[in-house]
């Protein structure tokens, strides 16, 4: 908008947005979020005839009593942040008007995330959660209902919010906030240590809703901490205190002295049982993503056609039908209805193939998919079209543990059949002689603590700490730890990054155990 007419500045849309900001400031003041003239709100004037980046921006002033603000106190800015209109000065004791000190930070959210509104609050909850662990660069929480109110998140997801360090002046935060926005593409908020939070959304409703959910989750985390519970784990069990380390929020900080004594994770005494994940732990992620999954996609139609009449495949189809019916009810993307048997074999198979391809693309950890994959892979191994791959250190470690009478088990989202096939037909031969059993998704989700409780009870150990669980995923590690298991994280080539200060010992080879 090169120039803005006075008529537009006085339009109904602009006036309503000014009144909205005044109303929100009063509401947030009563919540304790913007007291002492702190905090600020900015909203874009919605106009469908104007591209969002060019829409007018309304912004509350700096250094004013937020609960006493009037619509005429607002600043009007262009899409690039230039001030178009300023409020008139008020008599003493009011200070001269000044655009919000947060303006440069607000503009980063507008330009980098195409936001429709940004809210900055000084809620006490926002400050306290950044103080509990002064070294943490992130706030993490999972398995709380209000996580569903955060854009792009569900109940089972782990919500991650970056934390940046405070500065003497608000505008000096601009660069660090921009870096956090870039580094965390899924986040809709940035915490400022000992200061507050910036929250943005596609609209003022989205920003307000998320701000309320964030403050609720921070308050819940503080209360859980006071109760000695760890909010970052799926079941919010007791905070674990381990000799030689200290930590909160699921992050264990190893002292400098302790970390120099032993760079590897040596368990003394040896565990009675070791439970191993597969992908990213015993086996490269690339093997699963680049070999096994494509093999399923390329052969699912052929397999179903060749075995359609068998009881095994009919059972696979029955499971898939049930899963697809649930997916259709839930509105899962990529799901297509499977016609009845009367429609004919070819139509049924075509629908099955479409659903399986969508499930693989979404990397879904569901029994219906994993069972069928196992049967398809069996054909591949039997025809020497597939060979299992494990890292070079795996056979030596398995042999060593076997000699020490340590029982080793596999726990993977893949079916038990698929697990046996991989280790029975590996690049190092048949390794099943070193394995005592296999657990799959029928035990439970690998990110749920109760799954590891089930495994513990199945193995018959005296206490969970006699089991060592090795995985590449932080979420699985936290779930197993909450069940009382010893846990280490496998760091292998191609694995995803771990959170900063994650608190777990890591290994690059099984020979480090």
């Amino acid at each position: 908008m090169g120039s803005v007419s006075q008529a537009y500045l006085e339009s109904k849309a602009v006036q309503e947005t000014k009144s909205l900001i005044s109303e929100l400031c009063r509401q947030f003041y009563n919540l304790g979020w913007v007291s002492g003239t702190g905090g600020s709100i900015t909203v874009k004037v919605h106009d469908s005839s104007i591209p969002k980046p060019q829409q007018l921006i309304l912004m509350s002033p700096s250094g004013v009593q937020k609960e006493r603000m009037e619509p005429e106190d607002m600043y009007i800015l262009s899409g690039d942040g230039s001030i178009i209109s300023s409020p008139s000065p008020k008599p003493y004791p009011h200070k001269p008007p000044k655009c919000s000190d947060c303006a440069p930070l607000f503009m980063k959210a507008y330009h980098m995330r195409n936001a429709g509104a940004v809210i900055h609050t000084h809620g006490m909850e926002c400050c306290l959660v950044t103080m509990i662990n002064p070294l943490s660069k992130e706030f993490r929480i999972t398995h709380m209902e209000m996580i569903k109110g955060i854009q792009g998140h569900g109940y089972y997801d782990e919500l991650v919010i970056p934390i940046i360090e405070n500065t003497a002046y608000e505008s000096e935060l601009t660069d660090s906030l921009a870096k956090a926005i870039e580094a965390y593409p899924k986040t809709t908020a940035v915490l400022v240590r000992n200061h507050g939070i910036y929250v943005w959304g596609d609209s003022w409703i989205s920003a307000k809703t998320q701000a309320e959910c964030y403050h609720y989750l921070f308050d819940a985390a503080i209360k859980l901490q006071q109760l000695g519970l760890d909010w970052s784990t799926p079941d919010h069990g007791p905070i674990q205190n381990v000799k030689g380390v200290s930590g909160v929020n699921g992050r264990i900080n190893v002292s400098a002295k302790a970390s120099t004594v032993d760079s590897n994770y040596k368990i003394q005494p040896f565990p009675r049982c070791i439970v191993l994940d597969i992908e990213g732990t015993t086996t490269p992620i690339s093997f699963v993503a680049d070999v096994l999954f494509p093999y399923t996609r390329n052969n699912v139609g052929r397999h179903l056609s060749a075995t359609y009449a068998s009881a095994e495949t009919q059972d696979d189809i029955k499971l898939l039908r049930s899963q697809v019916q649930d997916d259709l009810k839930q509105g899962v993307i990529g799901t297509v209805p499977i016609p009845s048997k009367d429609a004919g074999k070819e139509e049924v198979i075509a629908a099955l193939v479409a659903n399986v391809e969508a499930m693989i693309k979404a990397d879904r950890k569901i029994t219906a998919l994993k069972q069928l994959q196992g049967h398809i892979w069996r054909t591949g191994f039997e025809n020497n079209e597939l060979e299992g791959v494990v890292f070079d250190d795996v056979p030596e470690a398995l042999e060593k543990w076997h000699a020490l009478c340590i029982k080793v088990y596999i726990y993977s989202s893949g079916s038990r059949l698929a697990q046996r096939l991989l280790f029975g037909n590996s690049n190092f031969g048949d390794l099943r002689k070193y394995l005592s059993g296999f657990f799959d998704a029928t035990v439970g989700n690998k990110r749920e603590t109760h799954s590891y409780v089930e495994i513990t009870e199945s193995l018959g150990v005296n206490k969970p700490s006699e089991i060592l669980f090795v995985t590449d995923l932080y979420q699985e590690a936290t779930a197993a730890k909450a069940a009382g298991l010893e846990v280490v994280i496998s760091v292998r080539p191609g694995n995803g990054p771990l959170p900063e200060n994650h608190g777990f010992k890591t290994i690059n080879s099984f020979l480090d155990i």
Side-chain angles (χ1 to χ4, degrees):
M1 297 176 68
S3 61
V4 182
S5 68
Q6 188 64 31
Y8 189 78
L9 296 179
E10 295 175 357
S11 66
K12 180 180 179 182
V14 172
Q15 297 307 312
E16 287 181 345
T17 306
K18 286 182 174 181
S19 298
L20 171 65
I21 293 177
S22 298
E23 179 186 342
L24 291 176
C25 282
R26 285 191 293 274
Q27 180 179 346
F28 293 166
Y29 174 84
N30 291 329
L31 291 171
W33 293 1
V34 294
S35 58
T37 78
S40 188
I41 304 175
T42 173
V43 178
K44 282 195 172 183
V45 180
H46 177 70
D47 188 332
S48 57
S49 66
I50 302 173
K52 196 171 182 180
Q54 299 175 20
Q55 292 173 357
L56 289 180
I57 297 170
L58 269 59
M59 197 172 295
S60 62
S62 180
V64 300
Q65 304 290 326
K66 294 300 188 294
E67 80 282 11
R68 297 180 63 83
M69 224 165 35
E70 300 295 335
E72 58 266 21
D73 294 330
M74 305 303 159
Y75 278 81
I76 302 179
L77 287 71
S78 65
D80 63 7
S82 303
I83 296 176
I84 296 174
S85 174
S86 302
S88 300
K90 292 184 177 181
Y92 180 85
H94 296 282
K95 295 180 179 180
K98 177 185 176 184
C99 192
S100 174
D101 291 334
C102 307
L105 293 93
F106 289 152
M107 296 310 299
K108 289 296 183 183
Y110 281 133
H111 293 160
M112 298 178 71
R113 291 299 175 83
N114 197 27
V118 190
I119 297 170
H120 173 48
T121 85
H122 289 182
M124 181 58 71
E125 308 95 326
C126 306
C127 295
L128 292 179
V129 294
T130 68
M131 298 177 186
I132 295 174
N133 184 352
L135 298 178
S136 176
K137 300 299 183 182
E138 299 169 336
F139 170 85
R140 291 173 172 265
I141 192 168
T142 187
H143 286 63
M144 293 288 288
E145 180 68 13
M146 295 296 271
I147 293 176
K148 291 160 60 176
I150 306 302
Q151 181 180 318
H153 290 77
Y155 172 76
Y156 294 105
D157 292 328
E158 183 182 43
L159 176 65
V160 182
I161 309 168
I163 302 173
I164 62 176
E165 300 303 319
N166 195 26
T167 57
Y169 299 99
E170 200 111 22
S171 60
E172 295 175 352
L173 294 168
T174 307
D175 289 344
S176 55
L177 180 130
K179 290 178 181 177
I181 292 176
E182 184 176 6
Y184 292 80
K186 194 176 181 180
T187 191
T188 56
V190 174
L191 281 162
V192 183
R193 198 181 312 280
N194 306 345
H195 181 147
I197 190 172
Y198 287 84
V199 182
W200 56 88
D202 297 334
S203 66
W204 72 267
I205 293 177
S206 173
K208 174 179 178 289
T209 300
Q210 291 183 93
E212 291 168 349
C213 292
Y214 281 124
H215 283 76
Y216 174 95
L217 292 168
F218 299 152
D219 187 46
I222 293 165
K223 287 182 170 62
L224 287 168
Q225 169 71 17
Q226 292 169 338
L227 293 170
L229 302 177
D230 188 346
W231 67 78
S232 67
T233 60
D235 66 352
H236 309 299
I239 294 173
Q240 300 293 314
N241 293 314
V242 183
K243 185 177 180 181
V245 298
S246 62
V248 293
N249 191 17
R251 320 290 180 268
I252 299 178
N253 303 312
V254 183
S255 67
K257 180 178 180 181
S259 63
T260 58
V261 172
D262 185 7
S263 60
N264 293 330
Y265 186 46
K266 303 297 185 183
I267 300 175
Q268 297 294 340
F270 286 109
R272 287 185 59 190
C273 302
I274 296 177
V275 177
L276 301 173
D277 170 52
I278 293 179
E279 189 175 357
T281 303
T282 67
T283 300
I285 290 178
S286 59
F287 173 72
V288 178
D290 300 339
V291 177
L292 291 182
F293 285 175
Y295 187 88
T296 302
R297 285 194 297 268
N298 296 335
N299 291 278
V300 60
R302 184 180 71 174
H303 172 84
L304 290 172
S305 181
T307 63
Y308 188 82
S310 69
E312 183 179 83
T313 295
Q314 285 300 311
D315 183 57
D316 291 346
I317 294 174
K318 181 179 179 181
L319 272 180
L320 284 166
R321 283 186 183 277
S322 178
Q323 183 65 55
V324 167
Q325 288 175 357
D326 290 342
D327 290 348
L328 288 170
K329 292 178 183 177
Q330 298 296 325
V332 176
I333 296 174
T335 307
V336 298
I338 300 175
S340 66
K341 292 182 179 180
D342 298 336
K345 172 182 173 181
E346 298 304 322
E347 287 192 30
V348 172
I349 290 176
L352 289 168
V353 170
N355 282 291
V356 169
E357 288 178 346
M359 291 173 180
I360 293 173
K361 184 176 181 180
D363 193 18
R364 299 185 65 187
K365 315 294 186 182
I366 49 177
T367 301
L369 173 63
K370 298 302 180 181
Q371 180 172 300
L372 175 63
Q373 281 179 328
H375 295 149
I376 295 173
W377 293 340
R378 179 181 59 199
T379 301
F381 282 109
E382 289 175 349
N383 294 338
N384 294 318
E385 295 172 341
L386 290 174
E387 181 184 68
V389 175
V390 298
F391 291 107
D392 292 348
D393 55 274
V394 171
E396 182 179 348
L398 291 177
E399 184 177 6
K400 180 183 73 174
W401 297 335
H402 183 73
L404 292 170
C405 297
I406 298 172
K407 292 186 176 181
V408 180
Y409 300 83
I410 303 298
Y411 180 28
S412 171
S413 57
S415 68
R416 289 180 295 176
L417 169 61
Q419 296 172 35
R420 291 195 296 270
L421 289 168
L422 190 154
F423 289 100
N425 301 273
S426 84
N427 51 331
F428 289 92
D430 189 348
L431 300 176
R432 290 175 297 177
K433 59 186 176 183
Y434 301 122
L435 302 174
S436 297
F438 302 87
F439 296 99
D440 61 12
T442 58
V443 173
N445 190 301
K446 294 183 71 182
R447 300 187 181 194
E448 296 287 346
T449 297
H450 70 80
S451 304
Y452 301 90
V453 174
E454 287 290 326
I455 290 175
T456 299
E457 292 177 353
S458 298
L459 299 187
V461 294
N462 293 324
K463 50 187 178 181
S465 60
E466 293 178 338
I467 303 171
L468 171 65
F469 178 58
V470 188
T471 179
D472 65 312
L473 293 180
Y474 171 78
Q475 295 89 341
E476 295 178 4
T478 56
K481 177 186 172 184
L485 279 67
E486 284 281 339
V487 180
V488 295
I489 292 182
S490 170
V491 178
R492 299 285 198 175
N495 286 11
L498 293 170
E500 289 188 24
N501 304 316
H502 55 78
F504 291 97
K505 291 285 188 178
T506 61
I507 58 169
N508 301 110
S509 164
F510 282 0
L511 302 181
D512 292 338
I513 297 178

